[in-house]
Amino acid sequence: MATAGQVIKCKAAVAWEAGKPLSMEEVDVAPPQAMEVRIKILFTSLCHTDVYFWEAKGQTPVFPRIFGHEAGGIVESVGEGVTDVAPGDHVLPVFTGECKECAHCKSAESNMCDLLRINTDRGVMIGDGKSRFSINGKPIYHFVGTSTFSEYTVMHVGCVAKINPEAPLDKVCVLSCGISTGLGASINVAKPPKGSTVAIFGLGAVGLAAAEGARIAGASRIIGIDLNANRFEEARKFGCTEFVNPKDHNKPVQEVLAEMTNGGVDRSVECTGNINAMIQAFECVHDGWGVAVLVGVPHKDAEFKTHPMNFLNERTLKGTFFGNFKPRTDLPNVVELYMKKELELEKFITHTVPFAEINKAFDLMAKGEGIRCIIRMEN
């Protein structure tokens, strides 16, 4: 492309300080260096993780910063040594990576790459410790290696998944974070047998994706647990067959579920990050074969407490990161699930806004409205 090797000026939504509305600015995006890729972002969406770090209540604040990590785009140019993708390729940027060289990448059991696993504090490229974004020569920091709230971004090639160019980027962009996390927690980690009973704790985007995964796997009962009963009707579209609101009961949820399922569910997936929900998700699975999977990220001081007999009675507790998907190896296959109509993505997308109105997406999430809001970079 004609812009290769040159600085590109483009629009980006910059967070100048914690919790303040994003500001549309013209930024300079430097060309990609060795093992880096510059991508033209076409669609991005807002995930709760963006909001969490934008509020910066519990973490190291890194500002000014360009947020965004769920997106789809087209490769504009590549840096030295990049052979896996080429200009014109359709790609999904991912907040975690796959170097293909480390012990984790070489293990069939792990996706937690030593080189490229998520780092929320780092605001620069790992190659030279510098940012590729600037305004008037002053650096604007990156976020989780993606920074998709910009018309162009620069990423390490190991965090870029090349996908089928026929796949509509305005739909499959949601696979680059939350939807894959929930889906994979079910199909890769919980692995519910056909006809089994699955409990899903938390019916936000990740929980609904976990329900969708349980549906695809052939679970016969999918019980959604949430404190917000307004989410129940929508959740039926994702395979949920019945619901429990803990507020409606004067006994622990795990007891309610045990009574509903003759001793406990076969699988549970916890998608809230609330430590009490995590314990309930483990204690509600059936002895002998029950498996609980933790997906939500807990408070840094949280402690998981349960009686050891719960393990000795043959319950299994597992954790997962990004649904155990390896970004470059596995995401193209998840896109194909959508292309074959085995996975439905349209129902996750409830709102669309132009890039100029990106703050509306933050407002919708603050009100708890909708599931995913797609932000169109081009009007």
Side-chain angles (χ1 to χ4, degrees):
M1 301 203 180
T3 46
Q6 299 170 25
V7 171
I8 290 179
K9 285 189 182 298
C10 73
K11 285 208 285 291
V14 176
W16 289 101
E17 53 185 303
K20 294 282 161 52
L22 306 188
S23 168
M24 209 53 80
E25 309 283 355
E26 184 179 74
V27 298
D28 290 340
V29 185
Q33 301 301 304
M35 301 310 288
E36 294 174 4
V37 180
R38 188 160 59 184
I39 300 167
K40 180 178 177 145
I41 299 293
L42 295 182
F43 299 95
T44 185
S45 69
L46 182 63
C47 165
H48 190 263
T49 308
D50 295 305
V51 176
Y52 183 69
F53 285 92
W54 165 72
E55 290 175 338
K57 287 175 183 167
Q59 332 73 25
T60 315
V62 182
F63 294 96
R65 201 172 208 184
I66 296 171
F67 286 100
H69 64 281
E70 250 187 33
I74 296 174
V75 175
E76 172 270 339
S77 60
V78 300
E80 188 188 333
V82 173
T83 54
D84 282 19
V85 296
D89 283 347
H90 286 219
V91 294
L92 299 181
V94 188
F95 63 90
T96 187
E98 183 184 354
C99 73
K100 299 195 175 179
E101 299 295 322
C102 71
H104 284 277
C105 286
K106 287 180 173 171
S107 161
E109 296 179 51
S110 176
N111 65 344
M112 300 189 74
C113 175
D114 276 331
L115 180 69
L116 299 168
R117 75 171 66 175
I118 186 168
N119 182 325
T120 54
D121 292 341
R122 186 171 56 225
V124 293
M125 302 301 289
I126 59 172
D128 61 1
K130 293 178 181 167
S131 173
R132 301 287 173 262
F133 300 110
S134 60
I135 295 178
N136 300 326
K138 294 201 170 74
I140 306 293
Y141 295 108
H142 296 250
F143 175 63
V144 297
T146 52
S147 292
T148 61
F149 294 166
S150 172
E151 291 174 324
Y152 287 86
T153 190
V154 177
M155 296 182 56
H156 191 285
V157 66
C159 300
V160 177
K162 178 181 170 180
I163 63 163
N164 182 345
E166 301 292 310
L169 287 170
D170 61 333
K171 307 291 189 292
V172 297
C173 64
V174 297
L175 289 172
S176 67
C177 178
I179 308 309
S180 293
T181 296
L183 181 76
S186 281
I187 61 178
N188 294 337
V189 189
K191 296 180 179 170
K194 270 197 169 50
S196 59
T197 299
V198 180
I200 308 289
F201 285 75
L203 298 174
V206 176
L208 293 173
E212 176 79 354
R215 180 190 71 77
I216 290 169
S220 62
R221 290 178 74 188
I222 302 173
I223 306 169
I225 298 106
D226 203 294
L227 293 166
N228 180 358
N230 296 334
R231 290 176 157 178
F232 293 167
E233 204 44 51
E234 184 80 14
R236 289 188 189 279
K237 294 182 197 168
F238 299 83
C240 286
T241 55
E242 52 214 289
F243 302 94
V244 173
N245 185 338
K247 289 194 286 201
D248 295 344
H249 302 272
N250 54 11
K251 63 173 86 164
V253 174
Q254 49 273 55
E255 287 181 24
V256 175
L257 291 165
E259 286 171 12
M260 288 171 68
T261 56
N262 195 21
V265 298
D266 303 307
R267 300 288 186 268
S268 71
V269 186
E270 195 290 322
C271 303
T272 72
N274 176 295
I275 190 63
N276 294 321
M278 291 179 159
I279 294 165
Q280 291 160 357
F282 174 56
E283 294 182 351
C284 80
V285 300
H286 206 291
D287 58 3
W289 61 78
V291 179
V293 179
L294 304 185
V295 182
V297 179
H299 187 275
K300 65 182 187 335
D301 300 324
E303 291 185 345
F304 188 99
K305 293 179 179 172
T306 190
H307 198 282
M309 283 308 298
N310 289 321
F311 292 100
L312 295 172
N313 287 335
E314 299 177 8
R315 293 178 181 86
T316 302
L317 179 64
K318 293 182 170 187
T320 176
F321 170 69
F322 192 51
N324 280 36
F325 286 121
K326 290 179 185 276
R328 293 204 276 177
T329 302
D330 296 332
L331 272 195
N333 302 329
V334 182
V335 169
E336 292 311 311
L337 276 183
Y338 168 76
M339 296 300 280
K340 291 188 290 202
K341 296 190 164 50
E342 290 170 32
L343 166 65
E344 297 168 23
L345 293 178
E346 283 79 0
K347 60 194 177 188
F348 288 98
I349 299 164
T350 49
H351 298 83
T352 309
V353 296
F355 189 34
E357 296 172 24
I358 188 169
N359 287 305
K360 270 193 188 166
F362 280 77
D363 296 341
L364 287 165
M365 189 163 278
K367 292 180 196 155
E369 287 180 23
I371 304 168
R372 275 293 183 265
C373 178
I374 301 292
I375 298 150
R376 297 190 311 274
M377 303 309 275
E378 297 175 335
N379 290 336

